[in-house]
């Protein structure tokens, strides 16, 4: 977490409070024999310390199922989980409206502890005057009178009483949170709820499909300086798309027309923020004024579980800025029908501090839904060099010892399954795909970091990039016919899931299969236990055979949900059980 978040979040405060509790416990233990009053105060204090520890244990249990990790956190105030933003988000979601109250209670406990630290300063002289080899009891004995004078029983008891009250408040708040969540479940809600992550996949799929269409339209427009049948645009769409204030997608773009003269061309790094809008019409350069009542504006994903409130405030619904960015709506450029590449290249070549979090413009596309795609410069770096591209086929040929840990292998597998659920039935992911269709940018020797840039490739061919099935070459149509015949001949129920299973198989073995298109070899290898264990073997076979109990049509939402529950969630469980840093 950043320094500001550390002061505004519960988990870092809990870690710090546990540390202060530990320091006070040691001091009470050292000097508890100086008087009966100190001994009695120590017992009362230790009681409240243990109550606090128990309450935090119970507070963390609903969001962190691994008891060993919770116990490790309670024993180690410097545990990295105390600064985990992901865990903080889960806690915030669990507490809901009670989050702020819980934060205040933890702060109050911290204040009471700090008061005790100040009131225990009377023992500091004893620690400083302790002679070499002298026991604490001996030191206390000859300083007892001085300590009695400095010890203020009334104030100490008051601070411990405050701890008792705060612990009771924490207990009541925790119990009420659970009771309210339980009582809020009505009979109609008893059916299994769809996880938020899975609900977002459909939104990402729609937005990414619309983005592809918008880019194809932009680069097939005669107004573009790079327009032409021979001009190619290479786009790398990262698989880690997510839903925040709209659908956020990262990509790298290379316009061959604008980089032919460069000795070392660089791919532009862009972040796309996509949402649907009702009011957009061609020619609009910015949203209508908020005081014009009849011009309603609305972000909608009407048939999904993500609602307007989940996508941000009313002002951000139109052109949602990235977090912590400031966008001047009057300066936004409508790049629809304009020279897209020239604008992007010019703006991304500005000094980095001027480009940070700036919206370069937006493009709209009009089909069943009107999508607006706002393009942002990624401020973390200037771009990627094409020489940094490494296919997963090359990665898989490296020794596993120098590549990835078991946990990282499982995370890679999970990312790929999620990517298929996000991008199937879109131009970004063909029915047939293999390891050489997936790549990363290797900008660091640390492969686990490089995998954050895992992406699909798409090539846009200028004037012909808008054409669909009509422009397919005879060879492409012949390949599609061969695929259908192979599915019938070999009994492949779903080609996309078969390809996914083939890649999962190779990840589990961490070895490239020489003949990945040989169905018999793949089925034979899938019957052999991989290094990642029998659970991984089972989910791999289920993908290969499309064995989920809901048919073989990946457009079926029940099949998609079954894949999520039986593969994505299973991999998540496996990762959590192995990764203490998860």
């Amino acid at each position: 977490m950043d320094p500001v978040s550390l002061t505004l979040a519960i988990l870092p405060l809990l870690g710090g409070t546990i540390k202060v509790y530990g320091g006070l416990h040691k001091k009470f233990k050292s000097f508890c024999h100086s008087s009966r009053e100190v001994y009695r105060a120590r017992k009362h204090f230790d009681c409240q310390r243990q109550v606090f520890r128990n309450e935090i244990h119970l507070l963390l249990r609903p969001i962190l199922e691994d008891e060993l990790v919770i116990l490790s956190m309670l024993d180690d105030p410097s545990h990295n989980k105390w600064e985990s933003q992901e865990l903080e988000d889960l806690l915030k979601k669990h507490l809901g409206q009670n989050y702020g109250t819980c934060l205040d209670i933890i702060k109050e406990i911290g204040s009471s502890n700090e008061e005790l630290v100040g009131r225990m300063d009377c023992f500091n002289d004893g620690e400083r005057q302790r002679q070499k080899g002298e026991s604490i009891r001996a030191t206390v004995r000859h300083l007892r009178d001085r300590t009695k004078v400095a010890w203020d029983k009334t104030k100490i008891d008051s601070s411990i009483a405050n701890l008792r009250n705060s612990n009771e408040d924490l207990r009541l708040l925790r119990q009420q949170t659970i009771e309210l969540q339980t009582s809020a479940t009505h009979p109609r809600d008893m059916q299994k709820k769809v996880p938020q992550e899975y609900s977002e996949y459909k939104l990402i799929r729609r937005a990414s499909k619309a983005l592809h269409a918008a880019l194809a339209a932009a680069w097939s427009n005669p107004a573009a300086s790079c327009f032409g049948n021979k001009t190619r645009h290479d786009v790398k769409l990262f698989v880690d798309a997510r839903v925040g204030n709209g659908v956020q997608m990262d990509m790298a773009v290379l316009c061959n027309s604008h980089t032919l003269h460069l000795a070392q061309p660089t791919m532009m790094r862009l972040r796309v923020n996509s949402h649907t809008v009702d009011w957009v019409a061609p020619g609009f350069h910015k949203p209508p004024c908020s005081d014009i009542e009849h011009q309603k504006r609305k972000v909608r994903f009407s048939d999904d579980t993500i609602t307007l409130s989940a996508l941000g405030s009313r002002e951000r619904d139109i052109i949602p800025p990235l977090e912590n960015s400031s966008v001047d709506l009057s300066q936004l450029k409508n790049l629809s029908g304009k020279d897209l590449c020239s604008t992007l290249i010019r703006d991304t070549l500005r000094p980095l501090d001027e480009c940070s979090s700036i919206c370069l413009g937006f493009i709209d596309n009009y089909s069943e839904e009107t999508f607006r795609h706002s393009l942002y410069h990624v401020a973390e770096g200037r771009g990627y060099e094409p020489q940094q591209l490494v296919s997963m086929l090359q990665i898989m040929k490296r020794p596993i010892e120098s590549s990835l840990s078991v946990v990282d292998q499982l995370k890679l597998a999970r990312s790929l399954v999620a990517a298929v659920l996000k991008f199937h039935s879109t131009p970004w992911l063909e029915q047939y795909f293999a390891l050489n269709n997936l790549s990363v940018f290797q900008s660091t020797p640390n492969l686990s970091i490089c995998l954050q840039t895992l992406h699909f490739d798409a090539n846009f061919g200028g004037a012909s990039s808008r054409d669909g099935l009509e422009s397919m070459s005879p060879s492409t149509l012949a390949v599609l016919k061969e695929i259908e015949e192979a599915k019938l001949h070999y009994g492949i129920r779903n080609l996309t899931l078969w390809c996914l299973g083939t890649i999962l198989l190779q990840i589990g073995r961490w070895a490239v299969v020489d003949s990945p298109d040989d169905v018999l070899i793949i089925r034979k290898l899938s019957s052999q236990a991989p290094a990642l264990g029998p659970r991984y073997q089972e989910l791999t076979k289920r993908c290969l055979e499309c064995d989920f109990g809901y048919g073989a049509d990946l457009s079926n939402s029940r099949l998609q949900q079954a894949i999520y529950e039986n593969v994505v969630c299973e991999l998540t469980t496996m990762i959590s059980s192995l990764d203490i840093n998860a």
Side-chain angles (χ1 to χ4, degrees):
M1 292 186 186
D2 57 83
V4 175
S5 297
L6 290 175
T7 62
L8 301 175
I10 287 178
L11 289 179
L13 288 177
L14 289 177
T17 302
I18 289 173
K19 183 177 181 179
V20 176
Y21 259 124
L24 284 168
H25 169 73
K26 290 179 181 179
K27 183 162 286 190
F28 267 114
K29 185 177 180 180
S30 297
F31 294 95
C32 66
H33 296 290
S34 62
S35 71
R36 290 182 180 178
E37 292 176 350
V38 178
Y39 181 78
R40 191 178 298 111
R42 178 221 172 175
K43 290 198 300 182
H44 293 321
F45 171 81
D46 281 352
C47 176
Q48 295 310 312
R49 175 173 176 258
Q50 186 60 44
V51 170
F52 176 80
R53 178 187 172 96
N54 294 340
E55 283 301 317
I56 301 309
H57 192 151
L58 294 171
L59 182 66
L60 293 176
R61 183 174 283 172
I63 63 169
L64 192 58
E65 296 179 355
D66 194 327
E67 287 288 312
L68 293 178
V69 174
I70 296 177
L71 292 174
S72 178
M73 292 172 65
L74 294 172
D75 291 335
D76 181 9
S78 61
H79 197 289
N80 56 4
K81 282 288 189 182
W82 293 122
E83 295 185 9
S84 169
Q85 184 60 57
E86 182 180 1
L87 194 61
E88 184 71 32
D89 291 340
L90 289 173
L91 181 60
K92 185 177 293 186
K93 182 178 179 180
H94 171 67
L95 290 172
Q97 294 181 345
N98 298 317
Y99 181 86
T101 304
C102 184
L103 181 63
D104 291 339
I105 293 173
I106 303 302
K107 288 181 178 179
E108 184 63 29
I109 292 174
S111 298
S112 299
N113 273 333
E114 290 300 329
E115 290 176 1
L116 278 173
V117 170
R119 288 163 185 169
M120 295 289 284
D121 284 345
C122 59
F123 295 108
N124 291 343
D125 287 341
E127 292 180 330
R128 286 192 293 266
Q129 296 183 33
R130 182 182 176 189
Q131 299 177 7
K132 186 176 182 180
E134 185 180 37
S135 67
I136 287 290
R137 288 195 177 189
T139 304
V140 169
R141 194 176 297 115
H142 68 256
L143 292 174
R144 182 171 293 169
D145 292 337
R146 189 184 310 173
T147 302
K148 284 182 178 179
V149 173
W151 176 268
D152 192 329
K153 177 181 180 299
T154 303
K155 292 183 178 180
I156 295 291
D157 289 345
S158 174
S159 295
I160 294 176
N162 289 338
L163 288 177
R164 183 182 299 107
N165 293 334
S166 296
N167 281 337
E168 179 63 15
D169 289 341
L170 184 61
R171 183 185 67 82
L172 288 173
L173 186 71
R174 178 186 57 78
Q175 290 180 340
Q176 289 172 351
T177 299
I178 295 175
E179 290 172 3
L180 287 171
Q181 290 175 348
T182 303
S183 61
T185 305
H186 299 291
R188 66 186 180 195
D189 299 325
M190 292 304 290
Q191 295 182 355
K192 193 171 183 179
K193 292 185 177 180
V194 178
Q196 178 83 0
E197 179 188 27
Y198 170 74
S199 300
E200 294 173 353
Y201 288 173
K202 184 176 181 180
L203 311 185
I204 294 171
R205 190 160 58 250
R206 287 160 51 193
S208 64
K209 189 174 183 178
L211 174 63
H212 190 283
L215 292 175
W219 286 323
S220 63
N221 194 308
S225 59
C226 52
F227 174 76
N229 289 321
K230 295 183 179 180
T231 301
R232 193 176 87 249
H233 297 86
D234 296 330
V235 179
K236 318 295 182 184
L237 183 70
F238 294 5
V239 302
D240 187 25
R242 55 214 171 273
V243 174
N245 292 328
V247 177
Q248 296 179 5
M249 296 171 281
D250 291 333
M251 65 180 186
V253 180
L254 179 66
C255 175
N256 289 275
S257 173
H258 283 85
T259 57
L260 285 174
H261 64 285
L262 300 177
Q264 291 184 327
T266 300
M267 303 193 77
M268 293 176 285
R269 297 178 60 186
L270 299 173
R271 179 160 297 165
V272 184
N273 202 323
S274 303
H275 57 246
T276 55
V277 287
D278 287 340
W279 56 267
V280 173
F284 273 24
H285 286 249
K286 60 180 181 178
C289 297
S290 58
D291 58 349
I292 302 179
E293 190 64 29
H294 67 277
Q295 285 183 311
K296 295 182 180 179
R297 59 190 191 274
K298 178 174 63 175
V299 174
R300 59 177 177 86
F301 291 107
S302 56
D303 55 344
D304 295 293
T305 58
I306 304 298
T307 61
L308 182 62
S309 60
L311 294 175
S313 66
R314 188 174 179 83
E315 196 62 40
R316 289 181 298 178
D317 289 340
I318 303 303
I319 309 288
L322 298 180
E323 293 182 9
N324 303 323
S325 70
S326 178
V327 177
D328 184 354
L329 296 179
S330 64
Q331 299 300 317
L332 287 175
K333 300 176 183 177
N334 184 353
L335 302 177
S336 304
K338 306 291 179 57
D339 187 356
L340 179 63
C341 287
S342 296
T343 301
L344 296 182
I345 290 174
R346 180 180 65 250
D347 288 349
T348 54
L349 288 178
R350 295 190 217 166
L352 190 60
D353 56 347
E354 293 181 18
C355 291
S356 300
S357 300
I358 284 184
C359 182
L360 305 175
F362 62 87
I363 52 177
D364 295 330
N365 74 296
Y366 313 96
S367 55
E368 296 178 1
E369 298 175 289
T370 298
F371 268 90
R372 168 156 293 181
H373 311 281
S374 304
L375 308 177
Y376 294 84
H377 175 259
V378 177
E380 288 84 357
R382 184 60 67 192
Y384 294 109
E385 297 178 3
Q387 295 86 346
Q388 294 175 326
L389 276 173
V390 183
S391 76
M392 285 304 301
L393 185 65
Q394 296 171 279
I395 296 291
M396 292 287 295
K397 292 180 179 179
R398 301 176 183 177
I400 183 59
E401 296 79 9
S402 60
S403 301
L404 293 176
S405 65
V406 171
V407 170
D408 286 330
Q409 283 179 265
L410 293 173
K411 288 180 178 179
L412 172 60
R414 188 191 188 283
S415 295
L416 287 173
V417 180
V420 168
L421 291 175
K422 292 175 186 175
F423 298 107
H424 74 85
S425 306
T426 75
W428 301 103
L429 180 64
E430 301 289 346
Q431 278 191 67
Y432 176 85
F433 65 101
L435 283 172
N436 58 351
N437 299 117
L438 295 158
S439 304
V440 299
F441 288 103
Q442 188 154 17
S443 55
T444 171
N446 190 330
L447 183 57
S448 62
I449 295 177
C450 296
L451 287 175
Q452 296 174 12
T453 65
L454 185 67
H455 59 264
F456 296 118
D457 301 325
N459 294 320
F460 294 80
S464 62
S465 59
R466 293 188 82 165
D467 299 337
L469 187 63
E470 300 81 2
S471 65
M472 286 187 180
S473 64
S475 61
T476 303
L477 293 174
V479 169
L480 292 176
K481 184 178 180 180
E482 289 179 9
I483 288 174
E484 290 304 316
E485 290 178 353
K487 287 170 63 177
L488 292 173
H489 183 73
Y490 292 104
I492 296 176
R493 303 188 67 210
N494 184 284
L495 182 61
T496 301
L497 291 180
W498 173 269
C499 294
L500 172 63
T502 301
I503 294 178
L504 294 179
L505 174 70
Q506 294 173 88
I507 292 175
R509 296 165 53 85
W510 199 256
V512 174
V513 177
D514 293 331
S515 303
D517 294 333
D518 191 320
V519 175
L520 296 180
I521 288 180
I522 294 298
R523 284 182 170 147
K524 182 179 179 180
L525 291 175
S526 69
S527 65
Q528 301 173 6
L532 296 182
R535 293 168 68 186
Y536 185 88
Q537 178 187 18
E538 179 61 24
L539 62 87
T540 299
K541 293 175 70 174
R542 295 189 73 173
C543 289
L544 287 170
E545 305 303 333
C546 190
D547 181 18
F548 296 98
Y550 291 97
D553 185 359
L554 200 49
S555 64
N556 181 353
S557 61
R558 283 302 295 123
L559 175 58
Q560 297 169 25
Q561 186 173 340
I563 296 170
Y564 176 81
E565 293 170 351
N566 292 281
V567 184
V568 176
C569 293
E570 179 69 10
L571 287 168
T572 301
T573 301
M574 294 170 68
I575 292 168
S576 300
S577 65
L578 294 173
D579 187 7
I580 62 174
N581 296 317

